[in-house]
């Protein structure tokens, strides 16, 4: 008999600074499916000054969400590419209940979906984010306080230069956290109502512990699927 595998979609939920981006990269390697960060996709549009980038810029710089229809169109385009056929990891999407519903109805049909919530109190987030840096060349994340590169300002992996995101300034972070609580928190509730789909992990553990928990959540679902 032919075994037909449905694509696996792993959704990483949690506030900005919870560690979704940090763990998405090794998880992508482990599962052999791409990591799709809507924030990264938008930053690419900003860099390339595309029409979408020009519209999205004002929302992103203000710490607000880009309107749902723009995000959905961008994501639908991305997941149509052939590397997503076996599944993918979503980081930064869905960020509203409407986005979650659209994912169910328009994008994730006939897929196995698992949502992993990175649970962490707000008080740890601002200090994590203000000291965050990313490599311009390969996207690797660093934290000048908690996970610094060997040489300040230079990527350990590719020697690219490190930069701080424009929206990682304290006053914009506070706005992003507020937006998270009002618009994105309800997404956790949305997945908690779907049997067996939501996995809670403690995002305050060490990097190794958190990654183990992420893998455990994925394994549970793959066994069930
Ligand atoms: P974070 O570090 O907060 O997780 P991201 O890199 O995921 O940030 O996103 C940066 C910005 O891009 C958000 O503040 C928002 O303006 C925009 N954005 C990213 N994903 C979405 C989405 N799913 N819906 C609306 N806006 C989004
Ligand atoms: Zn690099």
């Amino acid at each position: 008999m032919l075994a037909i595998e449905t694509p696996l979609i792993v959704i990483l939920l949690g506030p900005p600074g919870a560690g979704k981006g940090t763990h998405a990269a090794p998880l992508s390697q482990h599962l052999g499916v791409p990591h799709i960060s809507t924030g990264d996709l938008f930053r690419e549009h900003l860099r390339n000054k595309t029409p979408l980038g020009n519209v999205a810029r004002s929302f992103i710089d203000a710490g607000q969400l880009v309107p749902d229809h723009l995000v959905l169109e961008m994501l639908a385009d991305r997941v149509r590419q052939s590397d997503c056929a076996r599944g993918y990891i979503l980081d930064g999407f869905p960020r509203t209940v409407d986005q979650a519903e659209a994912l169910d109805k328009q994008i994730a049909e006939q897929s196995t979906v698992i949502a992993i919530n990175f649970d962490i109190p707000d008080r740890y987030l601002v200090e994590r984010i203000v000291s965050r840096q990313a490599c311009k060349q390969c996207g690797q994340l660093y934290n000048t306080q908690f996970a610094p590169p060997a040489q300040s300002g230079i990527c350990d992996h590719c020697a690219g230069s490190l930069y701080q995101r424009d929206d990682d300034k304290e006053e914009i972070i506070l706005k992003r956290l507020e937006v998270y609580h009002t618009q994105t928190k309800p997404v956790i509730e949305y997945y908690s109502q779907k049997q067996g789909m939501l996995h809670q992990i403690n995002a305050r553990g060490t990097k190794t512990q958190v990654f183990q928990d992420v893998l455990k959540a994925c394994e549970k679902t793959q066994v069930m699927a």
Side-chain angles (χ1 to χ4, degrees):
M1 201 173 68
L2 254 178
I4 301 172
E5 259 188 66
T6 58
L8 176 69
I9 302 178
V10 181
I11 299 169
L12 305 183
L13 296 172
K20 306 182 300 285
T22 301
H23 292 94
L27 184 63
S28 159
Q29 286 250 313
H30 184 90
L31 297 175
V33 298
H35 164 207
I36 301 176
S37 153
T38 44
D40 285 348
L41 292 177
F42 279 127
R43 282 185 284 280
E44 204 176 309
H45 279 279
L46 296 186
R47 261 197 311 278
N48 296 331
K49 300 197 165 61
T50 66
L52 173 59
N54 295 335
V55 177
R57 186 181 302 278
S58 58
F59 296 98
I60 294 173
D61 285 351
Q64 288 168 352
L65 296 185
V66 178
D68 286 346
H69 69 281
L70 296 176
V71 186
L72 274 162
E73 225 171 279
M74 178 179 74
L75 182 70
D77 266 358
R78 176 64 188 89
V79 303
R80 260 196 296 272
Q81 291 171 25
S82 59
D83 62 334
C84 294
R86 288 187 49 249
Y88 44 89
I89 299 163
L90 287 176
D91 161 11
F93 184 96
R95 250 180 165 93
T96 62
V97 170
D98 283 348
Q99 288 181 11
E101 282 171 352
L103 178 68
D104 270 355
K105 290 188 195 130
Q106 298 163 28
I107 300 178
E109 304 146 307
Q110 300 175 358
S111 304
T112 302
V113 176
I114 153 176
I116 303 178
N117 185 45
F118 285 60
D119 189 35
I120 180 166
D122 278 10
R123 62 181 180 279
Y124 300 104
L125 298 172
V126 177
E127 64 165 359
R128 276 192 185 191
I129 301 174
V130 288
S131 44
R132 173 159 81 177
Q133 290 187 330
C135 173
K136 262 187 190 159
Q137 232 163 250
C138 75
Q140 174 67 38
L141 294 174
Y142 294 90
N143 189 297
T144 52
Q145 241 184 301
F146 309 112
Q151 205 181 333
S152 155
I154 295 175
C155 178
D156 292 349
H157 297 275
C158 75
S161 51
L162 306 185
Y163 78 105
Q164 187 190 33
R165 271 166 50 179
D166 286 340
D167 62 345
D168 276 353
K169 309 265 154 51
E170 185 154 352
E171 64 283 7
I172 302 171
I173 297 167
L174 295 176
K175 179 66 194 168
R176 280 159 58 205
L177 284 174
E178 182 195 317
V179 167
Y180 171 76
H181 283 286
T182 53
Q183 303 192 59
T184 308
K185 262 272 178 81
V187 174
I188 302 173
E189 178 63 22
Y190 176 87
Y191 287 110
S192 73
Q193 286 166 6
K194 297 182 177 259
Q195 188 109 41
M197 209 183 259
L198 181 70
H199 300 261
Q200 293 284 359
I201 64 169
N202 170 14
R204 282 206 59 217
T206 63
K207 220 162 143 180
T208 318
Q209 271 165 354
V210 174
F211 191 58
Q212 287 305 323
D213 290 348
V214 169
L215 290 186
K216 254 188 246 157
C218 292
E219 276 156 19
K220 267 189 214 154
T221 301
Q222 281 173 316
V223 171
M224 280 165 27

